[in-house]
Amino acid sequence: GAVVSQHPSWVICKSGTSVKIECRSLDFQATTMFWYRQFPKQSLMLMATSNEGSKATYEQGVEKDKFLINHASLTLSTLTVTSAHPEDSSFYICSARPTGTYGYTFGSGTRLTVV
Amino acid sequence: DQQVKQNSPSLSVQEGRISILNCDYTNSMFDYFLWYKKYPAEGPTFLISISSIKDKNEDGRFTVFLNKSAKHLSLHIVPSQPGDSAVYFCAPLPNNDMRFGAGTRLTVKP
């Protein structure tokens, strides 16, 4: 089945630094990928839609200058949290939908802790 | 505008009993529905789906029922097992993105 690989699975960084999270579709091409954020005991919140070769579409309230998304190829989207602060600590998940299928496949998520 | 609602944030069930998780939607254009299961610190995994041309789809212990007139679907798990303890999300299609309901946290007690 379709696999989405997300790395790293967890990362700790100092406040003010930037962190990059990668999302790869391993056995299919994805022109569109999605980035989510989950706070403890809360639902998955869609942050942005990553579009290959074009700008990402951000949800209302998501700072695009803080959460930089790059989708340079059909198999890779990256989310960079710039100038991270403790309030950015969260669980970030990406997903993609293989062409011709209904189901979306999710990455395993990245636990970001900013200290 | 939240088009998908899971009004029960949590559900606790005894092992062996039936778990029923509900999902309501507002958009009549949705024609396919997915249920995902999520463990803590992991990404959601696909569980079961149903097309709008059906009213029931069964896969082992999991059955999803769809009531189009009521715009309501439910996921039945029977018998429930402790390993079923997770957060369950329903997601409709077509949808240009994957917006989830708030999810229902199921706890199956031994």
Side-chain angles (χ1 to χ4, degrees):
Chain A
V3 176
V4 171
S5 176
Q6 186 173 342
H7 292 281
S9 56
W10 61 271
V11 58
I12 301 173
C13 70
K14 291 185 178 181
S15 188
T17 61
S18 296
V19 174
K20 180 185 284 187
I21 302 170
E22 292 189 349
C23 181
R24 294 180 184 272
S25 56
L26 295 186
D27 47 6
F28 66 99
Q29 293 183 332
T31 56
T32 304
M33 292 186 177
F34 305 98
W35 288 95
Y36 297 84
R37 180 174 179 176
Q38 183 181 34
F39 294 96
K41 297 184 179 181
Q42 291 188 14
S43 180
L44 297 172
M45 292 177 50
L46 180 67
M47 297 176 63
T49 301
S50 172
N51 304 299
E52 188 269 334
S54 64
K55 292 182 178 180
T57 304
Y58 290 83
E59 294 299 298
Q60 190 174 9
V62 178
E63 299 176 61
K64 57 183 177 182
D65 293 332
K66 180 168 192 61
F67 299 99
L68 299 179
I69 290 173
N70 184 284
H71 196 152
S73 78
L74 289 171
T75 59
L76 174 64
S77 175
T78 61
L79 168 67
T80 302
V81 183
T82 63
S83 187
H85 288 95
E87 57 264 32
D88 299 325
S89 298
S90 190
F91 191 64
Y92 295 87
I93 307 173
C94 67
S95 78
R97 177 183 170 189
T99 303
T101 68
Y102 277 106
Y104 284 75
T105 301
F106 289 82
S108 54
T110 298
R111 168 70 61 191
L112 170 62
T113 301
V114 184
V115 297
Chain B
D1 177 30
Q2 192 174 6
Q3 299 187 76
V4 179
K5 290 185 178 181
Q6 293 178 256
N7 293 317
S8 298
S10 63
L11 174 67
S12 183
V13 172
Q14 203 68 33
E15 180 179 6
R17 299 292 184 96
I18 185 172
S19 297
I20 300 176
L21 300 100
N22 296 304
C23 180
D24 296 292
Y25 62 97
T26 57
N27 191 339
S28 58
M29 297 302 291
F30 294 145
D31 62 6
Y32 205 83
F33 301 88
L34 309 163
W35 281 94
Y36 283 83
K37 176 180 180 180
K38 185 185 181 303
Y39 292 115
E42 293 184 13
T45 55
F46 171 73
L47 183 60
I48 191 170
S49 64
I50 188 167
S51 165
S52 62
I53 63 174
K54 295 184 176 182
D55 56 14
K56 176 183 175 181
N57 187 28
E58 186 174 354
D59 183 4
R61 297 185 296 114
F62 304 91
T63 303
V64 56
F65 295 92
L66 175 62
N67 183 332
K68 287 184 64 179
S69 60
K71 295 189 177 66
H72 175 84
L73 62 156
S74 61
L75 173 67
H76 293 212
I77 306 173
V78 59
S80 301
Q81 299 175 353
D84 297 329
S85 297
V87 177
Y88 291 79
F89 297 95
C90 68
L93 289 174
N95 206 344
N96 289 331
D97 51 60
M98 277 291 284
R99 297 183 186 276
F100 289 90
T104 297
R105 182 177 301 275
L106 172 65
T107 302
V108 180
K109 298 180 178 180

